[in-house]
Amino acid sequence: EAQVTQNPRYLITVTGKKLTVTCSQNMNHEYMSWYRQDPGLGLRQIYYSMNVEVTDKGDVPEGYKVSRKEKRNFPLILESPSPNQTSLYFCASRPQGQGSNQPQHFGDGTRLSIL
Amino acid sequence: AQSVTQPDIHITVSEGASLELRCNYSYGATPYLFWYVQSPGQGLQLLLKYFSGDTLVQGIKGFEAEFKRSQSSFNLRKPSVHWSDAAEYFCAVGTGFQKLVFGTGTRLLVSP
């Protein structure tokens, strides 16, 4: 089954404690992306990657890092989390070939609470 | 800069009634347009998409949307709503800069 898998699904942690949210896709997609969803703001892009070792900032990259060492994985790293990063996070992927007209496949989300 | 506006935060529709969710976009070129649905605790599922051609597009679950360039709109419709359609709906525009810009969402409530 084609899917995007995020882990963990839920996490409560404290300010300053480094955490990583993993994302893996089994569709051999080149493009992967991270979003955060906040009430009244919709989804905002944090980072995206067009292929292995190619990443770029989205609209709200501050406080986040990503890496793309393998095609299937695109982890989101919060090196020093703060309460304003409490949010619902989504990973997504799509084929790169035809650009942004390809629909993205989304994971089920990770709810992070930073105390 | 590109943007998407969904003017209705919440909409309540009676089961069996028709539905229209509004979406307006701002983008200088021909947009790629999408509607996604998010059920509670779930990720986003693609309902339909518009790239070019016929301006009335059909999607899954009985949904359709019409692209109107003159109004910069891409409204989502369904002739008869089912209780299982209660969810949050997002309109999005894809741009040539590898980005997908989302609206703020419309939460659909279905009353018996």
Side-chain angles (χ1 to χ4, degrees):
Chain A
E1 180 188 352
Q3 59 186 6
V4 177
T5 303
Q6 297 178 226
N7 279 297
R9 293 290 313 278
Y10 304 91
L11 179 63
I12 301 174
T13 187
V14 296
T15 299
K17 185 177 181 182
K18 181 179 179 179
L19 67 92
T20 299
V21 184
T22 64
C23 174
S24 181
Q25 51 93 4
N26 63 0
M27 295 167 280
N28 202 36
H29 287 166
E30 293 83 6
Y31 182 98
M32 297 185 74
S33 183
W34 276 103
Y35 298 87
R36 61 178 289 173
Q37 182 182 8
D38 301 290
L41 297 177
L43 279 81
R44 295 177 293 167
Q45 189 179 50
I46 303 171
Y47 269 94
Y48 66 94
S49 169
M50 287 193 283
N51 216 323
V52 176
E53 303 290 2
V54 182
T55 63
D56 207 348
K57 297 177 181 178
D59 295 318
V60 287
E62 294 77 20
Y64 304 95
K65 285 177 60 176
V66 293
S67 69
R68 188 86 182 275
K69 293 181 170 34
E70 306 165 283
K71 198 172 187 179
R72 65 182 292 127
N73 296 322
F74 190 44
L76 179 70
I77 303 156
L78 286 71
E79 295 217 325
S80 184
S82 62
N84 64 10
Q85 294 177 296
T86 292
S87 188
L88 179 59
Y89 291 84
F90 287 101
C91 181
S93 73
R94 64 163 169 79
Q96 173 62 19
Q98 295 182 44
S100 59
N101 62 355
Q102 292 295 313
Q104 297 188 25
H105 300 257
F106 284 83
D108 285 338
T110 295
R111 186 167 292 283
L112 285 184
S113 293
I114 316 293
L115 305 178
Chain B
Q2 58 275 10
S3 65
V4 177
T5 301
Q6 294 181 248
D8 303 305
I9 299 174
H10 298 101
I11 281 186
T12 299
V13 174
S14 299
E15 190 168 15
S18 64
L19 169 71
E20 183 169 27
L21 301 182
R22 295 183 290 166
C23 172
N24 291 95
Y25 68 90
S26 173
Y27 182 56
T30 300
Y32 306 128
L33 296 162
F34 306 86
W35 274 100
Y36 285 87
V37 60
Q38 183 183 28
S39 299
Q42 303 292 316
L44 279 73
Q45 180 184 20
L46 179 71
L47 284 176
L48 47 77
K49 59 189 179 186
Y50 171 79
F51 299 154
S52 64
D54 193 346
T55 56
L56 184 63
V57 293
Q58 302 297 320
I60 62 171
K61 305 184 180 186
F63 286 92
E64 66 178 25
E66 186 171 13
F67 170 58
K68 293 185 177 179
R69 184 185 300 275
S70 61
Q71 299 177 20
S72 297
S73 70
F74 189 56
N75 294 349
L76 182 70
R77 302 193 294 245
K78 187 171 185 178
S80 178
V81 169
H82 188 262
W83 63 266
S84 61
D85 293 323
E88 189 154 22
Y89 292 80
F90 291 94
C91 181
V93 59
T95 74
F97 299 101
Q98 305 295 336
K99 288 182 63 173
L100 194 60
V101 177
F102 285 86
T104 52
T106 297
R107 184 167 297 279
L108 173 65
L109 305 173
V110 180
S111 60

